[in-house]
Amino acid sequence: MTTSIEQPPAGVPDATAARAADHLWMHFARQGRHPETPVPVITRGEGAYIWDNRGRKVLDGLSGLFVVQVGHGRRELAEAAAKQAAELAYFPVWGYTTPVQAELAERVADLAPGDLNRVFFTTGGGEAVESAWKAAKQYFKLIGKPQKHKVISRAVAYHGTPHGALAITGLPAMKKDFEPLAPGGFRVPNTNLYRHPEFAEDPKAFGRWAADRIEEAILFEGADTVAAVFLEPVQNSGGCLTPPPGYFERVREICDRHDVLLVSDEVICAFGRHGVTFACEKFGYTPDLITCAKGMSSGYGPIGAMIASEKVVEPFLRPGVAFPHGYTFGGHPVAAAVSLANLDLMESEGLNQRVLDNEAALGATLRELLDLPIVGDVRGDGYFWAVELVKDKATRETFGAAERERLVRGFLPGALFDNGLYCRPDDRGDVVVQVAPPLICGQAEFDEMEQILRHTLTEAQGLV
């Protein structure tokens, strides 16, 4: 099934790959690559596909990084960026604004649920999470509860790489090289029902159990010290962990009871990934703060945001009060203009409804993989799904360290790409392969993903 490609002449390294190997410090990547394993070079994209420097056409089954909602190569967005850059490429929101920054803030506020009406722009998701924790801590100082500074989040959850956001992240391996981190981050169980088979017949009871662990943590730490609970609507790390019935309703009750802010971290989940602009609405809760990024511009400009409710913003509006926090490129005018055009595109093409219309088909297509011995579970929502791989399907036994190394970092990334699919093998929790295609995709792309996954996972079975 490997794609036929035209190889470069033997012994002649690709110039871009060589430059990257010598000078580019890549993110979340091992830098010491072997000379015979050149850095992959992606040269262009169109629709749901990308091409590499060897001419291979590959289905982008991850929307870049859960980002490119409207697909690659959208000239409307490139033209919006060029127009804004020609008029005013840059000006900060440090006490000033531009027309596009103000318009985008109003647009996002109008789309947000409840009374979340104030938008603080960043350049990405980690900065949005960092901003939300700082806003929560200052909020409680302003209302006379200065001891409330701690944060509760879930095991295995990823919330970003800045020191504060990393302290909220529930992945010890990601934190150990950078400790000590900001103090105050505490963990509770996540909602991986597959790993709690005792609740298989009663997922609502599982939701109650998982939510109650949050209250237990708040009480253990002392409610007068806890500022916020950070939760993704669907947890990314661990493999698209969906909320059980009643879970968020119960969490909202707990937060209200103990005067704790509920933060919906929607860096991945917002802007159509689940068929709604903000996924909290789909799962039936209104948070106090939302963090978002990625799909706001479909990746055509770097931008993120923290969105605050009237309750949270009120003390910041008092005379003489400032929020001493910001970013040079937060709400960059070009990224803001692109985001407005992106939201227009999503609306005119009905992409939210497209996701709602097709999510069941995507799930059903991926569940066909359950007949493979290596596939233990398929779970997700919207256009955000994970295939969990297991060593023993009957016992749900996962893989050991050496097997994970062979699968997740050795075989799967290259084999999937060579077979025509870019997606995400991951073992930050148990071993999963994640797919999150552009929202323009339909059954043809679902079938293509399933076929490539089937072929590649069948090959993978022989390695473990």
Side-chain angles (χ1 to χ4, degrees):
M1 192 166 181
T2 302
T3 308
S4 175
I5 60 172
E6 186 176 325
Q7 297 286 348
V12 181
D14 174 77
T16 300
R19 290 189 191 103
D22 290 342
H23 303 291
L24 179 62
W25 196 332
M26 291 173 291
H27 299 202
F28 288 100
R30 296 178 177 180
Q31 305 303 314
R33 290 175 177 269
H34 234 272
E36 58 265 28
T37 309
V39 178
V41 179
I42 309 304
T43 57
R44 70 183 183 93
E46 182 179 338
Y49 292 88
I50 54 175
W51 282 259
D52 72 0
N53 59 324
R54 302 183 177 195
R56 290 184 287 193
K57 179 183 179 182
V58 176
L59 177 61
D60 182 358
L62 202 66
S63 303
L65 193 61
F66 317 105
V67 171
V68 189
Q69 318 294 59
V70 300
H72 298 279
R74 300 303 297 258
R75 292 193 176 275
E76 307 97 313
L77 302 189
E79 290 165 1
K83 181 175 182 292
Q84 180 61 42
E87 291 176 359
L88 180 64
Y90 173 76
F91 210 79
V93 289
W94 293 41
Y96 296 82
T97 190
T98 65
V100 289
Q101 291 163 334
E103 183 180 352
L104 181 60
E106 180 182 49
R107 182 82 168 269
V108 171
D110 287 346
L111 291 168
D115 67 349
L116 282 86
N117 293 323
R118 191 69 57 144
V119 180
F120 181 95
F121 286 120
T122 67
T123 62
E127 290 179 354
V129 170
E130 194 86 0
S131 302
W133 192 5
K134 290 177 78 172
K137 289 198 283 188
Q138 189 179 355
Y139 164 79
F140 282 112
K141 286 180 172 60
L142 290 170
I143 67 168
K145 298 183 178 182
Q147 289 185 318
K148 290 176 78 72
H149 67 281
K150 297 175 183 175
V151 168
I152 308 294
S153 60
R154 294 185 289 202
V156 192
Y158 173 80
H159 291 284
T161 55
H163 265 67
L166 192 56
I168 299 172
T169 290
L171 295 160
M174 287 192 65
K175 299 190 284 189
K176 62 184 178 65
D177 291 329
F178 309 110
E179 292 172 328
L181 300 173
F186 298 89
R187 240 60 60 203
V188 295
N190 58 44
T191 60
N192 188 347
L193 182 58
Y194 181 67
R195 291 296 167 185
H196 285 275
E198 68 274 20
F199 288 108
E201 301 304 316
D202 194 351
K204 190 168 184 178
F206 177 51
R208 177 74 181 223
W209 175 86
D212 284 349
R213 302 290 73 74
I214 294 174
E215 183 167 41
E216 185 176 82
I218 291 171
L219 293 172
F220 183 80
E221 292 301 322
D224 59 342
T225 71
V226 178
V229 172
F230 276 70
L231 302 173
E232 299 160 276
V234 175
Q235 184 174 315
N236 172 33
S237 292
C240 300
L241 307 180
T242 57
Y247 175 76
F248 276 112
E249 179 183 4
R250 175 68 173 155
V251 171
R252 180 72 269 182
E253 291 173 0
I254 291 166
C255 289
D256 289 342
R257 180 180 305 124
H258 300 292
D259 195 17
V260 171
L261 299 181
L262 176 55
V263 184
S264 189
D265 183 356
E266 305 208 16
V267 171
I268 288 175
C269 295
F271 302 109
R273 183 56 50 191
H274 295 280
V276 290
T277 303
F278 292 102
C280 56
E281 293 189 281
K282 187 175 187 180
F283 295 110
Y285 67 101
T286 301
D288 300 294
L289 292 163
I290 291 175
T291 55
C292 58
K294 296 185 183 290
M296 190 189 307
S297 71
S298 281
Y300 286 73
I303 196 165
M306 169 187 71
I307 313 169
S309 67
E310 295 289 351
K311 167 187 168 180
V312 172
V313 80
E314 185 277 326
F316 292 92
L317 302 179
R318 297 171 185 172
V321 175
F323 183 36
H325 174 66
Y327 301 99
T328 299
F329 294 111
H332 191 284
V334 175
V338 168
S339 296
L340 286 166
N342 176 62
L343 294 173
D344 286 343
L345 263 183
M346 293 186 66
E347 183 177 340
S348 66
E349 297 184 1
L351 293 186
N352 281 353
Q353 189 60 49
R354 181 179 182 84
V355 171
L356 295 176
D357 291 343
N358 286 289
E359 62 179 342
L362 174 54
T365 302
L366 293 172
R367 287 192 182 100
E368 293 175 12
L369 297 168
L370 286 167
D371 66 350
L372 297 177
I374 199 173
V375 175
D377 192 29
V378 175
R379 55 182 178 260
D381 182 86
Y383 275 30
F384 187 36
W385 288 79
V387 177
E388 180 166 338
L389 308 183
V390 292
K391 185 173 182 178
D392 187 306
K393 198 161 185 168
T395 64
R396 307 189 184 193
E397 180 185 357
T398 191
F399 300 99
E403 294 163 325
R404 287 172 178 240
E405 182 71 18
R406 286 199 300 274
L407 269 178
V408 178
R409 279 163 288 280
F411 175 73
L412 284 174
L416 286 163
F417 193 87
D418 288 344
N419 288 333
L421 177 64
Y422 166 71
C423 59
R424 186 182 207 178
D426 191 14
D427 69 340
R428 289 176 294 177
D430 295 303
V431 177
V432 299
V433 177
Q434 284 181 297
V435 295
L439 311 188
I440 58 173
C441 290
Q443 191 61 52
E445 291 80 16
F446 303 163
D447 289 339
E448 185 175 357
M449 282 193 293
E450 190 275 337
Q451 290 161 15
I452 295 171
L453 286 166
R454 176 174 296 277
H455 176 81
T456 309
L457 295 178
T458 299
E459 292 182 322
Q461 288 170 180
L463 300 176
V464 289

